[in-house]
Amino acid sequence: MDYKKLLTIQDISCVGQCSLTVALPILSACGHETCVLPSAVLSTHTAGFSGFTFRDLTDDIPQICKHWKNENIQFDGIYTGYLGSVKQVAFVKEILDTLGKLNAVKIVDPAFADNGKLYPIFDEAYVEAMKTLCPSADILLPNISEACFLSGVEYRENYDETYIKTLLNELSKLGCATIVLTGVGYAPDKTGVAVYEKGKISYYEHTRIAKGCHGTGDVYASAFTGALFRGKTLFEASKIAADYTVRCIQFTQNDQTHWYGVKFEPLLPTLIQALE
């Protein structure tokens, strides 16, 4: 197994099982050296907690990157998650364009919308900034809401395969040759992943769990990235990540005290087994 050096760029929610507190252990468990670039530090995530602290690290990013360049530090892969501002998007674009080794794979999870709506912190200016990041990504990992905002396709709660094909084709015009579209379901009790690669679409369907959990998008993106860099194909990595995320939700859903994320840690052995 090749030992890969990966960089992940997103915030740290110290409590809440999302962003870097998910990405770091999952990528490490997959066998990769995992380097981090925090975009912000929060005492907790913002869904359900009140009075949380927030420290913006935007102005630290250029100095960190300058030091890395001076030390000739480069990465086999770069995976971005939640970014806090338009200014950060511009910094991250430069990182994607300059800090990857030859043939480095760059994965972008847009992480700005769900259920047809932008997260409260974001606006249309942020969407426009994210569009400029897409051409620098080798793989884009949006949900349907994010794909609609980026492509200009009208968001729908109910849709068919033709709609998803149109959405992926329009999104690819931003310069995204490879797209993994999550949350694609054609029946009430099913959801899945549509994988767009070289103009062709593959689909993996799995059970839809009605009760959602915070941070599952980060679990999925991290498991996908970890599997891909273990040599799995795009479709295999998409399937492994989906199966792992579903197991994490099922493992957590009956614990009413654990409402703020999924208990992914006890199930890491199942992810590692899937990679063998």
Side-chain angles (χ1 to χ4, degrees):
M1 180 185 77
D2 289 339
Y3 186 61
K4 301 294 187 181
K5 177 182 284 189
L6 306 183
L7 170 65
T8 182
I9 310 169
Q10 45 194 306
D11 70 276
I12 298 175
S13 291
C14 300
V15 173
Q17 292 174 306
C18 66
S19 303
L20 282 181
T21 55
V22 166
L24 179 56
I26 289 179
L27 291 173
S28 298
C30 289
H32 309 302
E33 178 185 356
T34 306
C35 308
V36 301
L37 181 53
S39 58
V41 178
L42 295 83
S43 55
T44 67
H45 66 61
T46 60
F49 293 103
S50 61
F52 53 84
T53 66
F54 175 87
R55 182 172 295 276
D56 185 357
L57 299 180
T58 300
D59 292 337
D60 294 275
I61 293 174
Q63 294 304 313
I64 292 171
C65 293
K66 180 180 179 181
H67 181 218
W68 286 349
K69 289 176 182 178
N70 290 341
E71 295 294 325
N72 196 31
I73 295 171
Q74 292 188 311
F75 305 96
D76 297 298
I78 303 173
Y79 148 46
T80 76
Y82 187 96
L83 306 175
S85 66
V86 169
K87 190 175 181 180
Q88 285 191 5
V89 173
F91 288 153
V92 169
K93 178 174 172 55
E94 182 180 357
I95 291 168
L96 292 179
D97 293 340
T98 61
L99 285 178
K101 295 179 182 178
L102 183 66
N103 299 321
V105 178
K106 292 158 280 188
I107 300 170
V108 171
D109 176 4
F112 64 74
D114 205 2
N115 299 314
K117 298 179 180 179
L118 294 171
Y119 296 152
I121 190 176
F122 296 125
D123 57 17
E124 289 295 334
Y126 185 86
V127 175
E128 292 302 312
M130 186 57 67
K131 289 179 183 179
T132 68
L133 194 60
C134 292
S136 297
D138 295 304
I139 302 171
L140 192 67
L141 287 179
N143 59 32
I144 291 177
S145 298
E146 291 155 353
C148 288
F149 277 107
L150 290 170
S151 66
V153 174
E154 181 184 3
Y155 175 78
R156 296 182 188 173
E157 293 284 349
N158 300 306
Y159 49 81
D160 55 16
E161 291 183 36
T162 300
Y163 173 81
I164 294 299
K165 182 177 180 180
T166 299
L167 181 57
L168 288 166
N169 284 334
E170 290 300 311
L171 191 55
S172 71
K173 293 178 183 179
L174 289 175
C176 314
T178 305
I179 305 164
V180 177
L181 182 64
T182 60
V184 180
Y186 301 115
D189 60 340
K190 298 290 184 181
T191 188
V193 184
V195 179
Y196 180 94
E197 187 176 17
K198 298 177 180 178
K200 296 182 178 180
I201 301 173
S202 304
Y203 180 64
Y204 176 64
E205 185 179 73
H206 58 82
T207 300
R208 180 181 183 274
I209 301 174
K211 184 180 178 182
C213 295
H214 188 82
T216 51
D218 300 327
V219 171
Y220 180 88
S222 301
F224 169 83
T225 301
L228 189 75
F229 280 94
R230 280 288 295 268
K232 300 300 179 184
T233 67
L234 192 70
F235 187 80
E236 288 170 342
S238 301
K239 178 181 182 298
I240 287 169
D243 290 342
Y244 177 64
T245 304
V246 169
R247 284 195 294 268
C248 291
I249 297 171
Q250 291 171 331
F251 185 71
T252 310
Q253 63 180 345
N254 292 326
D255 185 351
Q256 295 183 358
T257 67
H258 204 95
W259 53 267
Y260 48 84
V262 290
K263 297 188 285 189
F264 69 92
E265 300 93 343
L267 296 179
L268 282 171
T270 68
L271 175 60
I272 296 168
Q273 184 177 17
L275 298 176
E276 299 299 332

